[in-house]
Amino acid sequence: ANSTIIHALRTAVRRRLTTMASGAASAVHAEGVYPRPHYAVSPAVTAVAPSKTVAIFSLTSDMKSRGEQVNAALCVGQPDFPPPQAVIDATAEAAHKGLTSYTSLTGTLELRRAICDYLARKKGTAYTEDEVMVACGGKQAIYEAMVALCTAGDEVVIPAPYYTSYPDIVGLAGATPVILETQAADDYMPRIDKLAAVLTPRTRMLIICNPANPTGATIPRKLLEDMAALLRRPEFAHVLVLSDEIYERITYDVPHVAFAALEGMRDRTLTINGFSKAYAMTGYRLGYLAAPAPIVKAAAKLQGQITSCASSIAQHAGVAALQTPDEVIDAHVAELRAKRDLALSLLRQIPGVVCPCPEGAFYLLPDVSAYFGKLTPAGSAVRSAEDLCMHLLHEYKVALVPGEAFGAPSTLRLSYAATREEIQDAITKFSACCASLQ
């Protein structure tokens, strides 16, 4: 009898559980509700700071989509002139000739030889083809070099103001960024005594951007030689230099000097360059690393697991770009100089705004901290450069980039690679914005 009762109970329980499970499954499928996956983001990516530049671009795009007229020409870091005609012709030629396949991982032999020839002629630095790696833009070359050479416990010295990506790339490589502050009063040049003070046995690399984004500062030969002399000291013999020279063709009264050309620096320097700035090929995504062969080999190994080769069509166009006559580039630089002078003169008419005269690139980085703590006509406090830029964007329809993005929170960045009319309009409205603050 007991066994019969137990069997009956077990049967009833099984039926109940089956019914419950069936009902739950039916409810899930009927309502389309499924267990939510767990999207855990890695700590390394979580630590990457959101881009303020992207945020400004997004706001500007949203405003334009609503039909608002926004002057965003001065917040974009790209030339306002087209690529040389030879580059356009080579782009079409590559497509028509069927140069549309994968190339060597480190770039076509033709382009690497052209880069070696260019660096020897223009910079006085000798490289072989196996010491050059072509990448999908200079930023990729920086990332791959950093990841290939740095690890946890390493330190990388970055002069501030800095290009926005440097600290995050260093962090993604597992190393620690060490910020070396520079001052507007020194034209944003690094001081040798302060550089020596931040170099330690843990320093793996020093980053130099010359000419610099966002300041336009171009380091003169004497200061570069002093930096090289410091690094030649025995206690700093372990320090490598990543020299970002993407703006090297855009200089005014201070000639550009390649860091690798300095005494004893060739085999310690990772030169980054590309085609986006001098040749206005930003959308081609083409850059390169020139460095000792073991470094190039390590960076290329990483590239092989990310993008493989750069675009074959872009590489063919890059060969044509390196053959561009000097007078074509010189004409663009002369026009940029005139626009720099216009923008600088307008900025310096605004009370409280302080801005050094840049000798390269196409940026100005004025200090606007005199307006911090003031109130807008609506009564909102301007506590930072970001607050000032947001007020300027929403009330005056002008987009500039706050200096917080570049490690210079008292400043904002503007690009004068725009039309004269756009420059005049933007800075005139910025002046009115500043005058309205109480």
Side-chain angles (χ1 to χ4, degrees):
N2 288 339
S3 61
T4 301
I5 293 172
I6 292 172
H7 176 74
L9 287 172
R10 286 176 175 169
T11 301
V13 170
R14 281 198 298 268
R15 287 175 179 170
R16 179 58 177 163
L17 291 174
T18 302
T19 301
M20 290 173 62
S22 176
S26 297
V28 166
H29 291 293
E31 297 174 13
V33 178
Y34 296 92
R36 179 172 295 179
H38 181 50
Y39 301 118
V41 178
S42 76
V45 173
T46 301
V48 173
S51 170
K52 293 185 184 295
T53 307
V54 171
I56 294 288
F57 290 162
S58 298
L59 282 172
T60 302
S61 299
D62 290 344
M63 293 170 70
K64 288 181 176 181
S65 68
R66 295 194 296 267
E68 299 181 56
Q69 297 295 316
V70 181
N71 183 345
L74 276 65
C75 73
V76 180
Q78 64 180 356
D80 64 327
F81 48 85
Q85 186 58 47
V87 169
I88 303 299
D89 294 342
T91 304
E93 179 183 61
H96 288 305
K97 283 188 173 181
L99 303 179
T100 55
S101 302
Y102 292 129
T103 73
S104 168
L105 173 61
T106 55
T108 65
L109 187 59
E110 181 185 23
L111 178 55
R112 285 183 286 131
R113 283 177 174 169
I115 290 169
C116 291
D117 177 67
Y118 173 84
L119 293 175
R121 285 187 297 108
K122 292 293 187 181
K123 299 298 154 186
T125 52
Y127 290 94
T128 59
E129 294 89 346
D130 63 341
E131 294 177 309
V132 173
M133 180 193 73
V134 178
C136 302
K139 189 185 294 188
Q140 182 180 22
I142 294 170
Y143 175 80
E144 290 168 353
M146 197 68 63
V147 173
L149 293 173
C150 294
T151 189
D154 289 342
E155 295 177 348
V156 176
V157 175
I158 306 172
Y162 47 69
Y163 174 53
T164 57
S165 295
Y166 291 154
D168 286 322
I169 289 176
V170 170
L172 287 169
T176 301
V178 175
I179 305 304
L180 172 64
E181 300 291 346
T182 65
Q183 305 300 322
D186 297 324
D187 293 331
Y188 295 119
M189 298 293 170
R191 288 177 46 178
I192 296 299
D193 59 335
K194 292 188 178 296
L195 174 58
V198 297
L199 297 178
T200 74
R202 296 183 299 278
T203 305
R204 178 62 165 159
M205 195 177 296
L206 164 67
I207 295 180
I208 298 173
C209 187
N210 185 36
N213 175 6
T215 65
T218 303
I219 306 176
R221 174 180 286 275
K222 176 62 169 63
L223 180 52
L224 288 170
E225 288 178 342
D226 290 345
M227 296 170 71
L230 176 68
L231 295 174
R232 285 195 296 270
R233 285 163 47 174
E235 65 268 36
F236 301 134
H238 60 286
V239 179
L240 299 174
V241 177
L242 189 148
S243 186
D244 186 345
E245 302 181 3
I246 190 72
Y247 295 95
E248 49 93 14
R249 294 298 298 271
I250 305 175
T251 61
Y252 306 118
D253 295 322
V254 177
H256 176 265
V257 176
F259 201 82
L262 301 174
E263 181 186 348
M265 292 298 110
R266 193 268 187 197
D267 290 338
R268 294 172 61 180
T269 301
L270 291 69
T271 298
I272 302 293
N273 208 331
F275 300 80
S276 292
K277 310 305 179 181
Y279 308 106
M281 295 170 62
T282 52
Y284 283 73
R285 306 315 305 134
L286 194 66
Y288 60 86
L289 163 69
I295 295 176
V296 168
K297 184 177 180 180
K301 182 187 295 186
L302 184 60
Q303 182 163 296
Q305 301 301 329
I306 303 176
T307 59
S308 295
C309 63
S311 160
S312 58
I313 294 175
Q315 290 188 62
H316 189 68
V319 174
L322 292 175
Q323 298 169 357
T324 302
D326 287 347
E327 53 265 29
V328 174
I329 306 298
D330 292 344
H332 291 316
V333 173
E335 178 64 12
L336 285 171
R337 177 197 287 267
K339 292 176 179 179
R340 177 202 65 177
D341 294 345
L342 170 63
L344 191 59
S345 67
L346 291 170
L347 279 175
R348 288 179 169 175
Q349 293 174 30
I350 303 174
V353 171
V354 178
C355 187
C357 179
E359 289 294 350
F362 38 72
Y363 304 108
L364 294 170
L365 194 76
D367 187 304
V368 295
S369 58
Y371 292 92
F372 296 174
K374 295 194 174 187
L375 300 178
T376 69
S380 300
V382 174
R383 299 183 179 87
S384 64
E386 185 171 4
D387 286 348
L388 183 57
C389 284
M390 289 299 102
H391 177 60
L392 179 67
L393 178 58
H394 290 298
E395 299 301 325
Y396 293 85
K397 314 304 181 189
V398 173
L400 299 178
V401 184
E404 288 94 336
F406 309 100
S410 66
T411 70
L412 53 79
R413 190 197 75 173
L414 59 86
S415 165
Y416 50 86
T419 67
R420 294 167 193 250
E421 293 75 18
E422 289 167 333
I423 293 170
Q424 183 86 41
D425 173 72
I427 301 180
T428 299
K429 289 177 178 176
F430 175 59
S431 179
C433 174
C434 292
S436 73
L437 302 175
Q438 302 296 323

